[in-house]
Amino acid sequence: MPIKIPDDLPACAALQAEGVVIMRETDAVRQDIRPLRFGLLNLMPDKIRTETQIARLLGATPLQVELSLIRITNHVPRNTSTDHMGAFYRAWEDVRRETFDGFIVTGAPVEKMPFEEVSYWDELCAVFDWTQSHVHSCLNICWAAQAAVHHFHGVPKHILPAKAFGVYRHRNLAPASPYLRGFSDDFSIPVSRWTEVRREDLPPDGGLRVLMDSPEIGLCLLEDPAHRSLHMFNHIEYDSDTLRNEYVRDAAKDETTALPHGYFPDDDPTRPPENRWRSHAHLLFANWINQIYQTTPFDIARIGQADAA
């Protein structure tokens, strides 16, 4: 089945060109089935690119998915037009009485700041608490994953001596997990962060389970059953050229910027990078969506009530 997104969202054209099946809102209303409702709280600077990345992965499922784009209520993004935000995004304050089968919170370019100094930290904490009664399952990515683990478990983040930047090999530590069904024993995932969460800081009584890690750059994916969440510290959703764009941006500011690890063939930035993580990105999202489909209440109004029970 296709993904349902707003008719004029810029991601539509890009996804259709890739063969992703798009369902227009005007067509979706004619189908007598309940789509899975997903919310995307998009904190990334390039919101249009992030929308496309997430919609691509949600749209690969055989289930019908309805995606709602959500923003922090009083935060004005600097890198996306007000017309785009006004046309396609709703403030969290306007959706907080709604329920969602799945909810995604992205990373944000604030990871070097203490959590409490981020201008929208209080609202983000309120969002995390709200997910416990209005969302069946959450996926927090990169900085949002660090923020959620800090909020729910008091786990600190640590600033790295140099940016973890590139494509790194990871290990499947839980082959029997429904979220890693079909995963290889090892695989590659893009990484782009200045901070990390360390295994030794995880509370022994918190119920957190490490599903993926990397010998080189540490934790990658945590399962948090008590909060019905997955915490992904890296960027499995990235496009083939996302790290290249980040490298070009950073190198323009600082010519000593290091090449992303394991990304360009033979470390030659003039050669196009090879995507070695695409299939595992689709697999992770498909497994997560399938797990939601198997366990979410058919009556969406019972989300939160049924989860609490």
Side-chain angles (χ1 to χ4, degrees):
M1 295 294 286
I3 182 172
K4 175 190 168 189
I5 55 180
D7 291 353
D8 299 320
L9 190 72
C12 281
L15 296 176
Q16 287 177 321
E18 297 173 14
V20 176
V21 180
I22 303 297
M23 173 169 283
R24 300 287 182 172
E25 291 180 304
T26 49
D27 296 326
V29 296
R30 297 200 299 265
Q31 291 203 346
D32 188 22
I33 60 175
R34 176 170 105 65
L36 293 176
R37 294 199 70 214
F38 280 75
L40 172 62
L41 180 61
N42 190 355
L43 306 176
M44 291 289 278
D46 190 341
K47 299 202 184 305
I48 294 176
R49 177 179 285 267
T50 302
E51 295 156 15
T52 305
Q53 292 169 349
I54 298 299
R56 175 186 298 118
L57 296 170
L58 293 176
T61 175
L63 304 169
Q64 187 186 135
V65 171
E66 175 184 307
L67 180 61
S68 296
L69 302 177
I70 300 167
R71 62 176 174 82
I72 291 292
T73 304
N74 295 315
H75 178 70
V76 179
R78 294 179 296 175
N79 299 288
T80 305
S81 72
T82 55
D83 288 344
H84 182 84
M85 298 301 296
F88 300 113
Y89 280 77
R90 290 189 293 162
W92 174 70
E93 285 288 349
D94 295 333
V95 304
R96 63 185 304 172
R97 285 170 290 280
E98 300 178 16
T99 52
F100 294 86
D101 300 289
F103 198 81
I104 300 167
V105 186
T106 72
V110 293
E111 57 182 319
K112 287 186 176 181
M113 298 174 61
F115 290 119
E116 293 75 13
E117 292 184 12
V118 175
S119 61
Y120 49 81
W121 177 248
D122 290 343
E123 182 168 342
L124 184 60
C125 290
V127 170
F128 287 144
D129 291 336
W130 164 85
T131 64
Q132 301 306 287
S133 57
H134 289 74
V135 174
H136 183 64
S137 182
C138 295
L139 174 61
N140 302 305
I141 299 174
C142 199
W143 178 79
Q146 297 180 353
V149 172
H150 178 71
H151 176 67
F152 288 125
H153 299 277
V155 176
K157 65 178 178 180
H158 301 271
I159 294 181
L160 297 167
K163 185 178 183 180
F165 186 46
V167 179
Y168 292 84
R169 292 181 64 180
H170 286 68
R171 301 180 297 185
N172 179 352
L173 302 180
S177 167
Y179 300 109
L180 300 188
R181 188 177 293 114
F183 264 67
S184 306
D185 293 334
D186 76 294
F187 40 88
S188 298
I189 296 180
V191 180
S192 179
R193 51 181 166 80
W194 286 95
T195 55
E196 68 177 357
V197 167
R198 296 174 182 169
R199 184 189 294 261
E200 57 266 29
D201 291 329
L202 301 181
D205 58 350
L208 293 165
R209 183 186 186 196
V210 181
L211 302 184
M212 300 178 186
D213 77 352
S214 166
E216 296 175 270
I217 45 87
L219 295 175
C220 175
L221 182 66
L222 296 181
E223 181 184 7
D224 188 355
H227 299 96
R228 301 186 309 282
S229 296
L230 293 177
H231 307 300
M232 162 61 72
F233 298 114
N234 300 325
H235 284 288
I236 200 168
E237 82 284 1
Y238 266 9
D239 291 329
S240 301
D241 62 351
T242 305
L243 290 179
R244 177 174 58 188
N245 294 339
E246 292 185 9
Y247 168 72
V248 171
R249 178 200 65 199
D250 294 346
K253 300 175 183 177
D254 180 0
E255 61 182 15
T256 66
T257 298
L259 288 170
H261 169 87
Y263 179 58
F264 292 113
D266 299 324
D267 282 341
D268 181 353
T270 66
R271 297 175 60 184
E274 296 177 348
N275 190 311
R276 304 194 305 278
W277 61 91
R278 183 186 297 113
S279 59
H280 285 92
H282 280 279
L283 190 54
L284 178 64
F285 270 70
N287 286 341
W288 178 52
I289 294 168
N290 180 64
Q291 194 66 10
I292 291 173
Y293 176 73
Q294 297 290 337
T295 58
T296 195
F298 180 80
D299 180 0
I300 196 167
R302 295 189 63 242
I303 288 177
Q305 302 172 32
D307 293 329

